[in-house]
Amino acid sequence: MQKFIISLCFSTCCSFLAAQTTSPIQEAMVNYDYETALMLIEQETPTVPLLYQKGKALKGLGNNLEALSVFQEVTVQDSLNPRAYIEAAECCKSLAKYGEALNYYQNALHINPDNKYVRIQYISLLMNMKRYRESLKESNLLAERDSSAYVLHLRAESMGQVYDNTKIMYVTDAYLDIQKRYPNDYLSAAKLGNIYVAGHQYEDAINITEKYRSIDSTNVLVNRINAQAYCLNKDYPKAIERYEQLLQEKDSSFQTCFYAGISYYALEDFYPAHDLLERALKDDNTNINVLYYLGRACSKTSWKEDGVTYLETAVSLAMPSDSVMSRLYVGLANCYKMAYQYTNQVNALLTQYEKYDRQKHRLLYDAAFVYYHYLQDASKAERYLMAYLKTRPKDSKDKAQEMDADGVPVIGENNRYNAAENWLKDIREKRKKEEFFKGKVDTASVAPIK
């Protein structure tokens, strides 16, 4: 009995001491009561452990900028602890300070190179910054000692961004390796399916997704690719079977509605095709392919006038406006000029004028300028100056010369016409002189020498 009482007293004391060691700050942090924790921390003398708690509380409340400032202070006071750098890196990522985040991760890895979490975060950040060659190098190094599915996915995804289509086999092999090691990994099956579909290898896409479906036939991502492969392989009944399953599972994604609509259209079942394509159009109302198939489906149903509207919209989207084309030709002509491709430059100027900018007569003057000064073709320069002058308004010759505030002539349209007239006159006089000295002048018009 005495031993029992002593044991009971000892247990009570331990419980009391344990309760004593759990501070109000720790209790507030455990209960996610970060505002209370911050208030209590402000009442204490600052220490490194309290700074950690403060930074975590600020992060929990979404005050990442303040949290970063706190963790930066911790890195100064606790410079050999990788945790301080990891916390600072996480704050930087949330603030889109990716370069700084990389530096903090590198500091953490310098202290503890074997920290898998930091290594994964570092590689993921490199990929987010589109520094794929670096992420591939790092993921290859990590994969040498860690063959987990996640690490292998990092490597395969980096490969997909670094290698072009001529090396797509390496990316395919990387995902096949994941499938071999982890048959229940749905993401590698989906990635492989997408690669095969992009390469028009529809049978391969069907095989790899069907293999996964034998393990799990409910995965939406794999089923989408599986159904798309059947559709593109023109096995429309099987595609519809798969799409009906997806639709029953409330999958209303663009890909599902679009390809399901095409499958029904191909089987001349136009009413469900219309309904599905209309749903797809809500997600992408400028998609020319959707507008085309929807318009055609409408023409086979009672929405014939809607079909006309959809096809007219598709045509207008497929043909850029004159203003867009004009801007493109301005840029093209300028690029030709900078590349010293003057024949191409003048052709671009004239195409812009003839097809898209019939009121911008200055382009004829510009063409004459290129022919005369860069291509040394005076006859064509003369031709386009004449064409330019024919566009001059009849009353413009009577207008006073355009001047700026200091009385200096400005190059307005009227002055340009005047300059063109003088330039054309000079070209013709120069040609007459050249012909005279070459003996091509009419002798009857020359006065006899006395």
Side-chain angles (χ1 to χ4, degrees), residues 435-447:
E435 289 175 350
F436 175 81
F437 287 109
K438 289 179 181 178
K440 294 182 180 180
V441 68
D442 183 3
T443 55
S445 65
V446 180

Side-chain angles (χ1 to χ4, degrees), residues 86-104:
I86 296 169
E87 294 287 2
E90 301 295 327
C91 288
C92 284
K93 276 201 304 185
S94 68
L95 296 166
K97 297 175 179 286
Y98 300 129
E100 292 181 43
L102 277 180
N103 291 333
Y104 283 123

Side-chain angles (χ1 to χ4, degrees), residues 58 170-171 217 222 232 317:
L58 288 167
Y170 296 115
V171 184
S217 63
V222 174
L232 294 173
L317 289 170

Side-chain angles (χ1 to χ4, degrees), residues 51 97 101 139 188 206 242 262 310 342 353 385 390 394:
L51 285 173
K97 297 175 179 286
S139 56
S188 57
I206 290 169
R242 292 286 184 260
I262 288 178
Y310 289 134
Y342 300 117
Y353 178 73
L385 282 173
K390 286 180 181 179
K394 293 180 179 180

Side-chain angles (χ1 to χ4, degrees), residues 109-158:
L109 289 170
H110 181 73
I111 297 168
N112 184 2
D114 297 325
N115 190 308
K116 180 179 174 180
Y117 171 80
V118 179
R119 186 73 62 180
I120 286 174
Q121 296 305 310
Y122 180 64
I123 295 169
S124 298
L125 186 53
L126 285 171
M127 293 178 67
N128 187 50
M129 297 172 70
K130 301 187 186 302
R131 293 165 61 171
Y132 298 117
R133 293 190 180 279
E134 294 172 71
S135 67
L136 178 56
K137 179 182 176 182
E138 291 292 333
S139 56
N140 274 331
L141 290 172
L142 183 56
E144 288 176 1
R145 60 178 187 272
D146 187 329
S147 58
S148 63
Y150 191 81
V151 171
L152 295 178
H153 269 291
L154 288 175
R155 182 177 67 172
E157 192 172 344
S158 296

Side-chain angles (χ1 to χ4, degrees), residues 207-251:
N207 290 336
I208 198 69
T209 51
E210 286 292 353
K211 181 180 178 181
Y212 180 82
R213 277 175 50 79
S214 67
I215 299 170
D216 177 11
S217 63
T218 64
N219 187 279
V220 172
L221 186 58
V222 174
N223 282 338
R224 279 180 192 162
I225 298 162
N226 177 265
Q228 182 186 10
Y230 276 120
C231 173
L232 294 173
N233 205 40
K234 299 183 180 180
D235 188 347
Y236 302 115
K238 195 68 175 180
I240 288 173
E241 180 185 328
R242 292 286 184 260
Y243 280 123
E244 284 300 328
Q245 179 185 341
L246 286 163
L247 292 166
Q248 287 171 11
E249 293 173 0
K250 308 301 181 184
D251 177 20

